[in-house]
Amino acid sequence: MGYGLARNLAFRSLLKIFYLLPTVAYGQLLPLEDAKYEEQVVKGVRDRSVRLLCGDVVLPMVVFWSFTKLGSLIPRAVAISNGLDSKVEKAAAVLGDVTLRNSTLEIVNLQMAAEGRFMCQALYEEDEEIKAVYFYIELIVLVPVSKPFLQMNDSTPVEGMPVLMTCTVKEGTLPVEYSWQRHTNRDGTVNVTEAVDGLIHITSANRTQMGWYTCTAQNQVNSQTSDSMYLDVIYGPDEPVISVEPFAINQHGFSANEQEEVIMTCLAPSNPPSHYIWFYNSSQVYSGQKYVITRILRTQTGTYTCLAQNTHLNTRTQATILLTVYYLPQVKLSCVPLPAANFQDLALRCLWQGAFPPVQLRWVKSKEDSNTTATPSNATLILRGADVRNGSSYTCLASHPGLREDARCRTTVWVPGGSPTCSAMATKQNEFLMMTCDWPGGLPRMTLWWRDWREHVLGVLKQSHNILVLKSNRTLGGKRLTCVAAHPLRAKVTECHVRLEPPKLVVERAKMSLFEGNEVQLSCLLQGAYLGSEVFWYNNKNQVIRPDAQKYKLQHENAWFNLTLQDTEWMRDSGTYRCAALNAVGNASATISLQVKKYPTPPNVTISKLMYNRHRTEVEVEWQTEGPGNLTGFLVQQTEAKKATKRQAITIWETAVSDIDPDVRVQKLGGFDPSVVYAFRILAVNHRTRGHPSEVKTPADPPFNAYPAVIGAAAAGMIVATVASLLGFQYIIRNRENNPRLHDLLFRRDAAEAQERISNPEDAEPEVTTAVDGGAGEQPGEISAPAEEASAADSPQQVTGAPEDSAPDQGDASDPEPAPAPTDEDAPVNVTITVTATP
């Protein structure tokens, strides 16, 4: 079944639709017998989306949604659809972003104003009948709980004081449930059972309630936990408790053996922690929780009092003990091998002093050795170092009436293998030198001392590890210091040497050159990083180059220190660059000479053509190069042409066009003011080097070219004259019967005169005179120069023409016949034209 209202519908159903539409439009229920009525409660969350279904209607013909807010009885239209199109009422924007698809109403970004009663009225077709459904939806908008806010009336209460903690949320749909947690390092996180909803009321705070408190609020939408807040209960100090280590008691208190390490600890619980002060026989001796006597003496017998203070509450408590020091030698017995007689002998010393009566001590090498004599309190056995084997053991026996058996102390003398290691390093920014010498192991341990280059002893003698600190001094550069190691079981001393070397620098190339605009890298090698040398670069102006300089780039790789110059310039970057190294005993430097060269001067340029167009807004310029040289382009400059004055200012040239291809020799420029006279010049460019500018020229106006018109007019005139003359001659020849005088004037008379001159040469003069007389403007009896010249010019033609005329008569020379009169129009005619030029 389709969506159209008139598709496959009976006429009766169509009338029902038109009958029901007005009712739907006003939000009223349709009075159909088979209408369905359904109700539903839907919950939505604010700022989220919710979908409202219009029952089980799938393909409705008409759907109308309306909304009645809480406390109102008037429904408001929300959206309507006819199955094909849908429309949402503008006022429905207060509910959220409303869309209607089929019969489902979807609200995105749901607002609180959408809480109320929605009604869906739909018409659909079933079994070729129109049916209606009414679906009522009560929409409840739920609000998530916000992050709880935890408050305490007193976060640092004194123990025994009441504390009130509250947990509140700004918003959230009721009911909101609260739970409380407390976190401590000892117990972890535990639930607080004494909390009532969002409230904890502690009538009497105690130290067990200290910790980080958090509150969690939860409703049917979500749950949020507050930030933690620490409850710090102030209390104490309690009665101090003093403990003594090692633990030994008697009827009066504590006891300790002389030379023992006695640690007395005082503990008085308090918050903030107690401040402890120790008193010995009413005199203050120490401040702190632990009072340590590393080797207790008999004179330290007495009363020890611990005073605990709470500085916050200004309260204090104290406790006192009696400590008795015994003199019986039952704890420690020391026996050590020591070098003697300038490391030639070995002294075995056994010591146990302070007992009463004194302890009797003696040295034995084995159990069977009992011939040695005992001495009180201190027993020393001197042996020649060369006679003692490496790894020999000796035992010191201590005898005292209070001992059940002799106390024993055993020692083994031995020499460590290897050799001493020594080194030098600079500390505190090269202010001091620390010389270190190590040779661990051995018993007695190796004795080490430092000696300078003059054999003078530096510092003091130390065992196994000797550090000598010297003030940095440039005079120490290159000097050698020696660490000397000695042991009684070694016949000779062993030495380790350290040479205090100043830094050494080597450059890869002392002289470098390049063309400007390129990049160059200067390299400096630090040979041996002595004493933590620092390396600096100086530019050609002897200024320290900082790492953040834009012009330069510093790089450090292993022992190489590189300086990169970017976009080099001819005059600015040429010069001497210096690599300098500095340590505690000296410095060094190495220089690199850098020459930034200009590219060779390009060839000169001459302007061969510079001309305006007709409108003087464009200029065409042509040029050519002179002489050899490389070039990468051309540059055209322009300026306004001005008359030279005595105080002429410097001409300012502007670049009209640049980066012209080196193969181009013609360029058109445009955008000029016709009223301004411009001057131009051209320069050849080789990378960054400019050649000499060409001569300065101003553009010429385009010439007026009348030559083709004149030549055309002359040619046309000659053609017209020639055609007219030919037509005139043709007319005279063809009409000689009608114009005999004109014909004879041009042809006959001249022919007769020519024949007469040939046959009668002596009569030539009168004929010439007659011919001349015919010229206008001449006096009788005078012959003009032009006439003579014309006669002379005509004579070759006339002489030459005679044989042509007489050629037919050469066959019979003795009997000449008169020439017949021309009767044919196409007969050949000899024409002679005489032109007389009169000045």
Side-chain angles (χ1 to χ4, degrees):
M1 183 67 66
Y3 291 104
L5 295 178
R7 186 180 301 173
N8 298 327
L9 292 178
F11 184 75
R12 182 173 51 86
S13 300
L14 187 60
L15 291 179
K16 285 186 177 182
I17 294 174
F18 284 104
Y19 171 74
L20 297 175
L21 282 177
T23 307
V24 174
Y26 287 96
Q28 299 176 3
L29 299 179
L30 296 175
L32 298 180
E33 299 175 355
D34 297 333
K36 296 181 182 180
Y37 301 90
E38 298 181 16
E39 293 185 2
Q40 185 182 6
V41 177
V42 176
K43 294 182 179 180
V45 181
R46 189 188 64 184
D47 299 330
R48 300 182 188 176
S49 62
V50 64
R51 299 181 65 187
L52 305 180
L53 303 178
C54 188
D56 53 357
V57 178
V58 179
L59 299 175
M61 300 170 59
V62 177
V63 177
F64 180 81
W65 280 90
S66 62
F67 170 71
T68 305
K69 64 181 180 179
L70 295 177
S72 175
L73 298 177
I74 302 175
R76 301 293 182 181
V78 176
I80 187 170
S81 173
N82 62 358
L84 293 176
D85 297 323
S86 61
K87 183 177 180 182
V88 178
E89 184 69 22
K90 293 182 179 180
V94 298
L95 309 178
D97 300 331
V98 181
T99 57
L100 178 59
R101 292 183 178 88
N102 201 359
S103 63
T104 302
L105 188 70
E106 183 176 359
I107 305 176
V108 181
N109 191 19
L110 186 63
Q111 301 297 315
M112 289 299 299
E115 188 170 73
R117 189 177 184 86
F118 285 83
M119 182 178 66
C120 172
Q121 303 177 53
L123 296 180
Y124 63 97
E125 185 179 8
E126 183 178 349
D127 297 332
E128 296 184 357
E129 290 185 1
I130 298 176
K131 296 185 178 182
V133 63
Y134 299 87
F135 200 76
Y136 298 91
I137 299 176
E138 183 177 352
L139 178 62
I140 300 176
V141 181
L142 303 178
V143 180
V145 292
S146 59
K147 186 175 182 178
F149 180 68
L150 182 60
Q151 288 181 307
M152 293 184 185
N153 65 336
D154 188 1
S155 61
T156 57
V158 178
E159 191 172 28
M161 298 296 292
V163 176
L164 181 63
M165 287 182 261
T166 58
C167 179
T168 58
V169 293
K170 185 178 180 180
E171 59 182 2
T173 301
L174 298 177
V176 178
E177 297 179 357
Y178 297 90
S179 60
W180 292 79
Q181 300 83 31
R182 181 177 65 245
H183 177 81
T184 60
N185 293 332
R186 183 184 63 182
D187 302 330
T189 302
V190 296
N191 293 325
V192 180
T193 58
E194 56 265 37
V196 178
D197 291 334
L199 180 67
I200 295 180
H201 186 205
I202 303 174
T203 57
S204 178
N206 59 70
R207 63 193 70 182
T208 62
Q209 295 169 327
M210 295 174 59
W212 291 96
Y213 284 80
T214 57
C215 168
T216 301
Q218 180 179 3
N219 67 358
Q220 53 184 320
V221 179
N222 68 327
S223 64
Q224 291 278 4
T225 301
S226 68
D227 295 330
S228 58
M229 181 175 290
Y230 190 75
L231 178 62
D232 193 12
V233 180
I234 307 300
Y235 62 90
D238 296 344
E239 188 71 21
V241 176
I242 300 176
S243 59
V244 180
E245 296 179 8
F247 181 73
I249 59 174
N250 57 20
Q251 59 182 352
H252 302 291
F254 295 91
S255 64
N257 293 325
E258 194 172 28
Q259 303 299 322
E260 280 185 336
E261 181 183 57
V262 178
I263 301 175
M264 289 177 282
T265 304
C266 184
L267 179 60
S270 176
N271 184 35
S274 299
H275 176 67
Y276 300 96
I277 300 176
W278 287 91
F279 294 89
Y280 169 65
N281 292 339
S282 302
S283 298
Q284 182 176 341
V285 292
Y286 185 72
S287 177
Q289 187 175 7
K290 285 187 177 181
Y291 178 39
V292 179
I293 303 175
T294 55
R295 297 180 66 180
I296 195 167
L297 302 176
R298 68 183 66 181
T299 57
Q300 292 175 315
T301 298
T303 58
Y304 289 85
T305 302
C306 172
L307 177 65
Q309 292 180 326
N310 186 326
T311 56
H312 185 82
L313 298 176
N314 196 22
T315 55
R316 61 188 64 189
T317 56
Q318 66 181 25
T320 302
I321 61 168
L322 175 62
L323 179 63
T324 303
V325 179
Y326 289 156
Y327 311 127
L328 296 176
Q330 50 185 338
V331 180
K332 281 189 177 181
L333 175 63
S334 64
C335 52
V336 293
L338 299 173
N342 197 20
F343 305 99
Q344 299 298 316
D345 296 339
L346 177 65
L348 300 176
R349 180 172 296 177
C350 185
L351 180 65
W352 203 357
Q353 294 177 344
F356 184 83
V359 178
Q360 299 297 316
L361 305 174
R362 61 190 179 94
W363 282 98
V364 296
K365 190 174 183 181
S366 62
K367 295 181 179 179
E368 293 77 14
D369 190 1
S370 59
N371 297 326
T372 58
T373 304
T375 58
S377 301
N378 190 350
T380 302
L381 177 64
I382 303 298
L383 301 174
R384 188 170 176 267
D387 298 337
V388 179
R389 296 179 58 183
N390 187 17
S392 299
S393 297
Y394 297 88
T395 303
C396 176
L397 300 178
S399 301
H400 190 272
L403 295 176
R404 295 182 180 179
E405 59 181 13
D406 291 345
R408 294 174 178 271
C409 179
R410 185 176 179 179
T411 183
T412 300
V413 293
W414 59 283
V415 180
S419 61
T421 58
C422 51
S423 62
M425 64 176 297
T427 61
K428 201 175 181 181
Q429 298 182 350
N430 292 328
E431 186 176 354
F432 295 98
L433 281 173
M434 186 172 70
M435 317 296 298
T436 304
C437 184
D438 291 295
W439 196 354
L443 195 65
R445 293 185 296 174
M446 300 297 298
T447 302
L448 308 173
W449 70 91
W450 283 95
R451 189 175 62 196
D452 64 7
W453 63 96
R454 295 169 297 187
E455 302 297 327
H456 293 169
V457 177
L458 302 176
V460 297
L461 281 67
K462 295 183 180 180
Q463 293 181 342
S464 298
H465 185 71
N466 194 331
I467 296 179
L468 175 66
V469 179
L470 300 176
K471 184 74 174 178
S472 296
N473 193 339
R474 300 296 174 87
T475 60
L476 297 176
K479 298 297 189 296
R480 188 180 74 169
L481 300 183
T482 304
C483 176
V484 183
H487 194 276
L489 273 61
R490 296 178 67 95
K492 296 181 180 181
V493 298
T494 305
E495 296 180 349
C496 174
H497 307 284
V498 174
R499 186 174 295 277
L500 304 178
E501 293 286 355
K504 295 181 181 180
L505 293 174
V506 177
V507 296
E508 185 177 11
R509 295 173 60 187
K511 293 184 178 180
M512 300 183 69
S513 63
L514 76 161
F515 287 105
E516 63 176 343
N518 294 324
E519 183 178 285
V520 64
Q521 185 181 69
L522 312 181
S523 299
C524 178
L525 175 64
L526 176 63
Q527 294 184 336
Y530 299 107
L531 303 176
S533 300
E534 297 181 90
V535 179
F536 304 92
W537 277 97
Y538 293 82
N539 61 12
N540 55 349
K541 297 179 182 179
N542 202 28
Q543 299 173 343
V544 177
I545 298 176
R546 301 176 61 87
D548 56 353
Q550 296 182 354
K551 179 72 175 180
Y552 309 98
K553 181 181 179 181
L554 298 175
Q555 293 178 324
H556 178 205
E557 183 176 356
N558 297 330
W560 286 96
F561 295 83
N562 301 325
L563 172 63
T564 303
L565 280 75
Q566 303 171 349
D567 193 18
T568 55
E569 301 180 23
W570 172 47
M571 294 295 294
R572 179 179 177 184
D573 295 328
S574 296
T576 301
Y577 291 79
R578 184 162 57 95
C579 175
L582 173 68
N583 65 7
V585 297
N587 54 31
S589 64
T591 59
I592 298 177
S593 178
L594 178 63
Q595 180 184 6
V596 181
K597 299 184 294 184
K598 294 183 63 177
Y599 282 91
T601 304
N604 294 335
V605 181
T606 59
I607 299 176
S608 59
K609 179 182 179 181
L610 185 63
M611 184 173 295
Y612 280 117
N613 66 348
R614 290 185 58 191
H615 303 290
R616 294 178 60 90
T617 59
E618 293 184 356
V619 172
E620 181 179 359
V621 57
E622 295 183 6
W623 65 89
Q624 59 186 8
T625 58
E626 297 181 355
N630 296 328
L631 56 89
T632 59
F634 295 96
L635 177 70
V636 180
Q637 294 180 336
Q638 68 181 41
T639 186
E640 294 185 9
K642 299 179 180 179
K643 295 182 179 180
T645 60
K646 294 183 179 180
R647 297 182 180 181
Q648 183 176 5
I650 299 175
T651 303
I652 299 177
W653 290 94
E654 298 179 358
T655 300
V657 61
S658 60
D659 297 333
I660 301 176
D661 192 89
D663 297 330
V664 175
R665 296 295 185 272
V666 179
Q667 185 71 32
K668 284 189 176 181
L669 311 176
F672 297 103
D673 187 355
S675 62
V676 179
V677 179
Y678 295 92
F680 295 87
R681 67 180 186 182
I682 304 178
L683 299 87
V685 179
N686 185 10
H687 294 279
R688 295 192 176 187
T689 303
R690 295 184 179 181
H692 297 289
S694 67
E695 70 279 14
V696 180
K697 288 187 176 183
T698 57
D701 292 326
F704 178 74
N705 195 354
Y707 182 75
V710 173
I711 295 300
M718 293 176 64
I719 292 173
V720 171
T722 302
V723 171
S725 299
L726 292 177
L727 292 176
F729 288 146
Q730 185 178 8
Y731 176 78
I732 294 173
I733 292 173
R734 291 182 177 181
N735 297 278
R736 58 178 178 269
E737 298 296 335
N738 298 328
N739 298 289
R741 189 177 297 273
L742 181 61
H743 180 271
D744 293 341
L745 178 64
L746 295 176
F747 301 107
R748 290 293 182 176
R749 186 177 180 180
D750 292 338
E753 289 177 356
Q755 292 177 0
E756 188 175 354
R757 290 193 191 106
I758 295 172
S759 61
N760 299 313
E762 65 275 3
D763 298 331
E765 184 175 354
E767 291 294 327
V768 171
T769 305
T770 304
V772 171
D773 290 343
E778 299 292 339
Q779 297 295 331
E782 295 180 358
I783 301 175
S784 64
E788 293 177 355
E789 293 174 2
S791 299
D794 294 338
S795 60
Q797 185 177 1
Q798 294 169 358
V799 173
T800 304
E804 294 178 358
D805 295 338
S806 61
D809 301 333
Q810 289 180 357
D812 192 2
S814 61
D815 191 9
E817 294 181 1
T823 59
D824 191 359
E825 294 180 356
D826 297 329
V829 178
N830 291 331
V831 179
T832 302
I833 301 174
T834 302
V835 179
T836 302
T838 303

